[in-house]
Amino acid sequence: MTVTQIRSLLRVLIDQPSTAIWSNSSLNSLIFSEYRDICNEIASRWPKYYITSSSVATTANTATTALPTSCTYFNKLVDSEGCVLAYLHSSQFDHTAANSKPLRYDIVGRNFWWNPTPDAIYTYTGYYNAMPTDLSGESDVPSLPPNFHDILAYAVAVNSKMVKDEDAQGVYARYERKKEMLLHQIGTTQTNNARRVTSAYDASEE
């Protein structure tokens, strides 16, 4: 589902078909916020769910290089020959070494620290856990299993308390069920262990 489609569902849930009270931009902001919260919860439980890779290049005669902006946890650097660059705490660096191809690295703050300091541009492939790109446009699609994109509409409806009192219990129940099923599905794909859901809702009831 796109942001436009998620917002349309949200308008149905909160019975606000027009923009007279809730503008599209206001609802989008709430959708984007819930998306970040759900991605954070997934990443905190299964950090490797959002694992990715990108190119990391040194700068000649510069000791540091910025981490990829979306990186939450860094795993490894691999050079063009497939060799893993060694990680070493900077307290053990050889600070007397002449500038040359790095033999090791540390991560300090949001930067790689190379040792020795590179004397030229060297390119590596970095593998790391990342946060998905924030939603921002009408045609953007969440980085969630496609059968659970609609959970964002339910999350906004429940957490913003915009649902009518007479509908609140049903919407809340559906949201809790969807969230539990989403986390169960992701947990199964990450562990290859289809554990039984233990709660008021049981997956065996499907």
Side-chain angles (χ1 to χ4, degrees):
M1 296 176 71
T2 64
V3 168
T4 300
Q5 292 169 322
I6 293 168
R7 188 182 62 244
S8 295
L9 173 59
L10 173 58
R11 288 194 177 280
V12 172
L13 294 174
I14 64 175
D15 194 22
Q16 293 290 334
S18 74
T19 58
I21 297 177
W22 285 96
S23 67
N24 287 341
S25 61
S26 294
L27 292 181
N28 282 359
S29 294
L30 294 172
I31 291 169
F32 300 162
S33 178
E34 291 295 343
Y35 177 58
R36 286 191 293 272
D37 287 347
I38 289 175
C39 288
N40 277 325
E41 181 161 359
I42 292 171
S44 68
R45 296 190 186 206
W46 301 285
K48 292 183 179 179
Y49 185 73
Y50 289 119
I51 197 165
T52 188
S53 64
S54 66
S55 178
V56 175
T58 66
T59 301
N61 304 312
T62 301
T64 62
T65 300
L67 281 167
T69 55
S70 64
C71 177
T72 58
Y73 180 83
F74 198 80
N75 295 304
K76 63 180 178 179
L77 285 166
V78 180
D79 65 18
S80 58
E81 298 177 347
C83 298
V84 176
L85 188 65
Y87 170 82
L88 185 68
H89 193 277
S90 56
S91 62
Q92 301 180 58
F93 278 5
D94 178 5
H95 296 288
T96 65
N99 290 6
S100 61
K101 183 176 181 179
L103 300 176
R104 58 196 72 87
Y105 74 97
D106 190 8
I107 294 178
V108 180
R110 296 289 299 173
N111 295 282
F112 296 103
W113 187 359
W114 312 106
N115 186 248
T117 296
D119 61 340
I121 297 174
Y122 298 97
T123 302
Y124 303 90
T125 299
Y127 295 87
Y128 54 94
N129 305 340
M131 279 300 294
T133 303
D134 284 345
L135 299 175
S136 60
E138 293 291 322
S139 60
D140 286 358
V141 175
S143 294
L144 298 171
N147 51 325
F148 287 106
H149 289 175
D150 62 347
I151 195 174
L152 298 180
Y154 283 89
V156 173
V158 168
N159 294 329
S160 64
K161 304 186 186 304
M162 289 190 291
V163 183
K164 290 182 177 179
D165 289 344
E166 60 267 27
D167 300 327
Q169 185 174 358
V171 173
Y172 180 81
R174 289 197 295 275
Y175 168 62
E176 287 296 311
R177 174 172 173 167
K178 285 176 179 293
K179 183 177 180 181
E180 188 168 22
M181 291 173 68
L182 167 64
L183 297 176
H184 176 66
Q185 178 173 312
I186 291 176
T188 299
T189 61
Q190 293 299 293
T191 63
N192 196 30
N193 179 18
R195 290 173 292 180
R196 189 178 179 84
V197 178
T198 55
S199 74
Y201 164 69
D202 192 303
S204 64
E205 295 173 3
E206 285 295 294

